[in-house]
Amino acid sequence: MTNALNVDRTADVPVPPGPAKADRVSRRQVDKFAQRRDQLAAAALQTLAELGYARTSLREIAQNTDFSHGVLHYYFADKVDLIIHCVKHYKAICVQRYDEILAASDTADALAEGFAAGLARTAGEDATLHRLWYDMRSQSMFEPAFRADVLEIDDSLQRMIWRVVTGYAELSGRALTVAPATAYAMFDGLFQHALLRHLSGAPDALDTLRAESLTLLPRLTRD
Amino acid sequence: MTNALNVDRTADVPVPPGPAKADRVSRRQVDKFAQRRDQLAAAALQTLAELGYARTSLREIAQNTDFSHGVLHYYFADKVDLIIHCVKHYKAICVQRYDEILAASDTADALAEGFAAGLARTAGEDATLHRLWYDMRSQSMFEPAFRADVLEIDDSLQRMIWRVVTGYAELSGRALTVAPATAYAMFDGLFQHALLRHLSGAPDALDTLRAESLTLLPRLTRD
DNA sequence: AAAGAATCTGGACAGGTGTCAAGAATTCCT
DNA sequence: AGGAATTCTTGACACCTGTCCAGATTCTTT
């Protein structure tokens, strides 16, 4: 574990063991390899969401799987490699769900209501996944190995928020008064606050999040 | 570690080994005991701020100390007990520094400028301490043992923000349009966003935080 | 100065960690 | 069907973890 962090992580896949033959064959093997990688990453994501980064071990991950713990080192170079793959997997899930939230609305009010409700819904339904995201983002403040991927996900979330905010501004005919990073930080603050309360058992946390988000959108614009 | 989390943690001090004699003597010994506890907690805080929760061990903490690792179990029941004491120690530091920020300003603009500058300053000077706070807050989403103390600190930060916001509203003669929790969540989002960027090497992160905070205050009020 | 209490040390313990490699089991291709 | 490439299992390794404790050390009190 000590020098594992110094491993060269430029290559995404740690060499699919031995194809290099006919094109079709190679391609199929690589696909299969990547497929199992994703499958294992999904199991790891579930374990991480349940236990958090500090308490998750490779053996624990393998137990949420039909395989034994050794197989993880067949598909991933080391623990950091696995977790990074995991977090990218999270991004795919997350952006997808947020894009569902972005279902076309034709009025500013409808967009605002839909977006606020969507935030509250995902905060409730995917609470464990989101707390993992905040855990990983905190880890990245200590562990440079996670930083690049965390910042990339953060950017994609920021762009998602920005699409909503600009959409709202256009539909309402108002002008934007904040930068994309600022808008994202504010919504993220509300979301994180609500998530902690929700996980702590506060029954009104999600409703409050919806109401707060609703009032934030107009605050970012002016006539 | 498995059942350490089930330990009864209602009593703050795990029995100062053996006073129970004359009042003055007992009092002095208890003070000494508490004093060393704080001293060890301070060393632990430094270690945690440097390494993060997941990577901090009791032996590592003891190495930032003149004592051996065994002494930690003389002053603290277990690791969770030590860390909770640590985080409370952080609260004391944090609120104190924030109260310095609250130095009296006689105009709304001066208050806003001073507060925004103070946020940016503490984000830079106490960056490692603040990242520990976000780490612990994330941990509390997984580990119920931390939750009560984290929520208490969160509340005290929220009250601090609310004092600033209400002060700004009064000085500017404007009316508040948000709840205390909402105002705190927004500033916290900006702060956390800036802290991550700052620790990632973004040179403008702190300036951006100052500017963002400056624009947020008026947004929370109306004429 | 002697006795007793408080404090501290250093090692041992049981268990968990990431990593690796030898070999069994399976799959794939000809 | 047989041989080769793959996927997977199992057990081992070196190390680290929190916890505990017997005994050395220091301080306090009488």
Side-chain angles (χ1 to χ4, degrees):
Chain A
M1 182 63 181
T2 58
N3 59 359
L5 308 176
N6 300 327
V7 164
D8 176 24
R9 212 168 306 291
T10 53
D12 225 6
V13 175
V15 170
K21 246 193 167 184
D23 277 0
R24 296 155 301 174
V25 176
S26 169
R27 170 63 72 124
R28 187 174 8 167
Q29 283 178 349
V30 170
D31 281 357
K32 204 171 181 181
F33 191 79
Q35 196 174 330
R36 176 123 304 166
R37 259 170 80 93
D38 286 349
Q39 177 187 350
L40 291 173
L45 196 59
Q46 178 193 333
T47 311
L48 282 163
E50 197 162 335
L51 300 178
Y53 171 78
R55 282 161 289 276
T56 298
S57 71
L58 295 180
R59 283 171 176 81
E60 194 89 32
I61 292 173
Q63 268 184 336
N64 284 9
T65 282
D66 292 334
F67 306 101
S68 74
H69 70 270
V71 84
L72 290 172
H73 276 88
Y74 182 75
Y75 288 98
F76 299 94
D78 55 29
K79 195 187 181 183
V80 174
D81 187 26
L82 166 59
I83 290 187
I84 285 181
H85 198 81
C86 252
V87 172
K88 287 182 178 173
H89 201 86
Y90 162 82
K91 172 191 171 179
I93 295 176
C94 199
V95 169
Q96 171 204 335
R97 306 217 175 170
Y98 274 120
D99 274 340
E100 295 173 4
I101 291 173
L102 263 177
S105 311
D106 40 10
T107 74
D109 282 351
L111 174 58
E113 299 259 4
F115 176 61
L119 282 179
R121 187 168 64 85
T122 189
E125 291 178 0
D126 309 317
T128 61
L129 222 53
H130 290 301
R131 75 178 169 184
L132 173 62
W133 160 245
Y134 290 116
D135 191 7
M136 292 308 303
R137 201 168 67 175
S138 297
Q139 294 309 312
S140 79
M141 297 198 207
F142 296 92
E143 176 57 78
F146 296 145
R147 218 163 269 171
D149 294 281
V150 161
L151 287 175
E152 185 190 318
I153 294 180
D154 223 35
D155 265 11
S156 83
L157 293 175
Q158 179 174 313
R159 285 194 299 271
M160 185 275 297
I161 292 287
W162 192 240
R163 269 177 267 142
V164 173
V165 170
T166 52
Y168 176 82
E170 287 174 12
L171 285 172
S172 64
R174 293 161 64 92
L176 280 163
T177 59
V178 289
T182 309
Y184 170 58
M186 291 181 185
F187 277 109
D188 186 62
L190 294 178
F191 192 89
Q192 191 173 357
H193 187 85
L195 182 63
L196 176 56
R197 264 69 187 172
H198 173 63
L199 289 169
S200 299
D204 60 332
L206 300 184
D207 271 346
T208 302
L209 171 61
R210 209 186 56 224
E212 286 171 329
S213 304
L214 216 45
T215 76
L216 179 52
L217 273 175
R219 248 181 259 276
L220 303 179
T221 57
R222 68 166 139 67
D223 303 305
Chain B
M1 183 63 182
T2 56
N3 60 357
L5 308 176
N6 299 327
V7 164
D8 177 24
R9 212 169 305 293
T10 54
D12 227 5
V13 175
V15 169
K21 247 192 167 185
D23 277 2
R24 297 154 302 175
V25 175
S26 169
R27 170 60 72 124
R28 188 174 9 164
Q29 282 178 349
V30 170
D31 282 357
K32 204 170 178 180
F33 190 79
Q35 196 174 331
R36 176 123 306 165
R37 259 170 80 92
D38 286 348
Q39 177 187 350
L40 291 173
L45 196 59
Q46 178 192 334
T47 310
L48 283 163
E50 198 163 335
L51 301 178
Y53 172 78
R55 281 159 290 276
T56 297
S57 71
L58 294 180
R59 283 170 175 81
E60 194 89 32
I61 291 173
Q63 269 185 335
N64 284 9
T65 283
D66 291 334
F67 307 100
S68 76
H69 70 271
V71 84
L72 290 173
H73 276 88
Y74 183 74
Y75 287 99
F76 299 94
D78 54 29
K79 195 188 182 184
V80 174
D81 187 27
L82 166 59
I83 291 187
I84 285 181
H85 198 81
C86 251
V87 171
K88 287 182 178 173
H89 201 87
Y90 161 83
K91 173 192 170 179
I93 295 177
C94 199
V95 169
Q96 171 203 335
R97 306 218 173 167
Y98 275 121
D99 273 340
E100 294 173 4
I101 291 173
L102 264 177
S105 312
D106 40 9
T107 73
D109 282 351
L111 174 58
E113 300 258 4
F115 176 62
L119 281 179
R121 187 167 65 84
T122 189
E125 290 178 2
D126 309 318
T128 61
L129 223 53
H130 289 301
R131 75 177 169 183
L132 173 62
W133 160 244
Y134 289 116
D135 191 6
M136 292 308 303
R137 202 168 66 175
S138 297
Q139 294 307 313
S140 79
M141 297 199 206
F142 296 92
E143 177 57 78
F146 296 145
R147 216 163 271 172
D149 294 281
V150 162
L151 286 175
E152 185 191 318
I153 295 181
D154 223 36
D155 264 12
S156 83
L157 294 175
Q158 178 175 313
R159 285 194 299 270
M160 186 276 297
I161 292 287
W162 190 241
R163 268 176 268 143
V164 173
V165 169
T166 53
Y168 176 82
E170 286 173 11
L171 284 172
S172 63
R174 294 162 64 92
L176 279 163
T177 58
V178 289
T182 309
Y184 169 59
M186 290 180 186
F187 277 110
D188 186 61
L190 293 177
F191 192 88
Q192 191 173 357
H193 187 86
L195 183 62
L196 177 56
R197 264 67 186 175
H198 174 62
L199 288 168
S200 300
D204 60 333
L206 301 184
D207 272 346
T208 302
L209 171 60
R210 209 185 57 223
E212 286 171 328
S213 304
L214 216 46
T215 77
L216 179 52
L217 273 175
R219 248 182 260 275
L220 303 180
T221 57
R222 67 166 140 66
D223 304 305

